[in-house]
Amino acid sequence: MEISDKPRQGLLFQAFLLVFVISKAQLGVGVLGFQRVIFKFAGHDAWISVIVSGLAAHLSIWVMIRTLAHYDSADLFGIHYALFGKWVGRILSLLFMTYFAFYVLTISRTYIEAVQSWIFPDIPTWLLMLLLITLIAYGLTGGIRVIIGICLFGFGCWVVTTLFFYAAIRHAQWSFLLPIMEASPSQVLQGAGKMPLTLAGFEVIFFLYPFIRDQQNANRYAQIGVLLSNLFYLFVMVISIVYYSQNQMPKTIWATFSFLKIIRFPFLERFEYIAIPLWMLILVCNLLLFTWVILRGMKRVFQQNQKRTLAVFCVILFACSFLFQKHGQIYKMNSILNSMSTYMVFLYPPLLFLLVKSVHAFKKRNVQR
């Protein structure tokens, strides 16, 4: 396997598009109900936990890009091969592909549960999963540039969804934010420890980096993308704290969707019939990005045909939809993915960065001798 990954010129895109891709990759199913989990630990200081975890995300993506900059247009698969060799490198790359596969399954199943809870309680899980799989397969046929374009569209849908919160702001009780810093530092950190699943997604930079035409600008625009998503999560958390009482928040599973219940139009009584399908368009971007990483990895690491890999992955994804039916199982999936995200997104990149720095310093010292 080649360490460097140099796609043809027609597949490259400008670095400024990372603003939309990275922020969109971070916006997933976590935003639908992350407030309740954070609030359990940090109380009305949960917004501070969001800030702390957001700062960690900025540091993590800086570390990722600095690691990538040590190589000539390499992705994480190539770095694993360069550092650990063929077999260990394959195992580590396969772990990341498994992580993304589980991510796709969790996103899909959680969104399906939201649809069943809010709109169509009797619709079978397999039917909705089949719809999502069809969208994934169709979107991936266009390649990475089409996926980037879909992310731009998803970003626009995301901007539209921010307008949905106006009704909650009208009923806000801003005194619920006081007193500030009532939670202890350990409680704030515990709350921040439940944010990795919500903030994860920006690790796709490890695999998109070779496709960026002006790589010297990658860090700037990636940081802007992370900043936008962090500000959105902070906004949602603050609105949730001032809208729900301390007794309501721990009992509200879909805190973000619950805002929609108070939106009323003369021609539309249940606004969630519009908002939830719109959210599917946002989530499809994540599904496409993460599945593309899996296909790219199977081609780079194991020299597997991408169309065949996609067919096998879709069959596995569809079969898994029958395994997770109850809310407790889906909640457990999200908890497992949160732990996986902590290691894959926030702990592993700094260790990899230190290893890359050490290896390059050792090689440089040997050359000077």
Side-chain angles (χ1 to χ4, degrees):
M1 185 182 78
E2 294 289 336
I3 296 175
S4 297
D5 183 15
K6 296 184 178 180
R8 64 179 187 271
Q9 286 294 318
L11 296 177
L12 302 182
F13 62 91
Q14 295 292 333
F16 77 90
L17 292 172
L18 288 175
V19 174
F20 310 102
V21 176
I22 296 298
S23 59
K24 185 59 221 59
Q26 285 190 272
L27 190 68
V29 293
V31 72
L32 305 182
F34 75 102
Q35 306 96 311
R36 178 177 66 96
V37 181
I38 315 301
F39 191 87
K40 283 184 177 180
F41 292 95
H44 59 258
D45 286 327
W47 61 275
I48 303 177
S49 297
V50 175
I51 294 177
V52 171
S53 56
L55 293 175
H58 281 288
L59 178 60
S60 182
I61 199 167
W62 177 85
V63 167
M64 291 177 183
I65 294 177
R66 289 291 298 170
T67 303
L68 292 162
H70 280 82
Y71 294 88
D72 180 24
S73 190
D75 56 9
L76 185 62
F77 302 128
I79 294 174
H80 281 163
Y81 182 79
L83 291 178
F84 304 105
K86 180 179 179 180
W87 296 109
V88 177
R90 280 185 171 184
I91 293 172
L92 291 174
S93 296
L94 185 60
L95 286 175
F96 265 86
M97 285 183 271
T98 304
Y99 161 70
F100 279 109
F102 190 66
Y103 211 136
V104 171
L105 175 61
T106 304
I107 289 176
S108 304
R109 192 60 192 89
T110 304
Y111 175 74
I112 290 172
E113 186 191 24
V115 173
Q116 292 170 331
S117 300
W118 283 86
I119 303 180
F120 305 117
D122 297 325
I123 192 169
T125 300
W126 66 266
L127 183 60
L128 289 174
M129 182 63 80
L130 186 61
L131 173 61
L132 291 176
I133 289 173
T134 302
L135 292 174
I136 293 172
Y138 181 73
L140 287 171
T141 57
I144 184 61
R145 290 179 66 88
V146 170
I147 296 175
I148 299 299
I150 294 174
C151 287
L152 284 172
F153 177 75
F155 185 87
C157 294
W158 171 30
V159 173
V160 171
T161 59
T162 59
L163 302 177
F164 299 164
F165 294 92
Y166 80 94
I169 295 175
R170 289 169 49 200
H171 296 85
Q173 297 290 330
W174 296 99
S175 60
F176 287 172
L177 291 171
L178 301 175
I180 298 176
M181 289 300 295
E182 185 178 41
S184 65
S186 63
Q187 290 173 319
V188 171
L189 291 177
Q190 282 181 305
K194 297 298 180 181
M195 282 291 292
L197 169 60
T198 306
L199 290 176
F202 60 85
E203 63 272 20
V204 294
I205 191 65
F206 265 141
F207 312 97
L208 291 173
Y209 190 78
F211 292 84
I212 302 172
R213 182 172 281 111
D214 47 335
Q215 295 178 347
Q216 69 277 8
N217 297 323
N219 183 61
R220 179 198 313 167
Y221 292 112
Q223 294 288 356
I224 294 174
V226 173
L227 178 62
L228 289 178
S229 55
N230 285 339
L231 290 176
F232 178 74
Y233 283 122
L234 178 62
F235 170 73
V236 173
M237 177 57 81
V238 170
I239 297 303
S240 301
I241 293 173
V242 298
Y243 178 76
Y244 297 107
S245 68
Q246 288 195 349
N247 293 327
Q248 286 178 313
M249 182 75 88
K251 301 175 183 178
T252 308
I253 298 177
W254 308 102
T256 304
F257 275 162
S258 295
F259 290 140
L260 307 179
K261 295 169 66 175
I262 60 175
I263 300 178
R264 293 288 186 273
F265 292 102
F267 55 89
L268 184 64
E269 182 67 20
R270 296 191 61 184
F271 190 70
E272 58 265 30
Y273 276 77
I274 301 296
I276 294 178
L278 179 63
W279 204 263
M280 183 179 69
L281 299 178
I282 297 175
L283 292 180
V284 164
C285 305
N286 301 51
L287 299 176
L288 289 174
L289 274 173
F290 300 155
T291 306
W292 175 84
V293 171
I294 299 169
L295 302 185
R296 188 73 182 171
M298 292 301 293
K299 179 181 178 181
R300 290 262 293 147
V301 179
F302 299 101
Q303 292 76 51
Q304 295 295 314
N305 181 274
Q306 288 184 305
K307 291 183 179 179
R308 188 182 302 115
T309 303
L310 176 60
V312 173
F313 177 74
C314 289
V315 170
I316 294 174
L317 189 61
F318 182 73
C320 289
S321 66
F322 294 95
L323 301 178
F324 305 96
Q325 298 292 334
K326 298 180 180 179
H327 173 72
Q329 295 174 319
I330 300 170
Y331 180 79
K332 186 65 175 179
M333 289 172 64
N334 282 270
S335 299
I336 294 173
L337 186 58
N338 185 76
S339 300
M340 293 174 66
S341 299
T342 302
Y343 291 105
M344 296 293 195
V345 182
F346 292 98
L347 297 181
Y348 181 70
L351 295 176
L352 184 66
F353 175 68
L354 293 176
L355 182 57
V356 168
K357 290 284 288 185
S358 301
V359 169
H360 278 72
F362 180 76
K363 290 181 177 179
K364 185 177 181 180
R365 207 164 37 242
N366 286 344
V367 170
Q368 291 175 346
R369 289 179 182 176

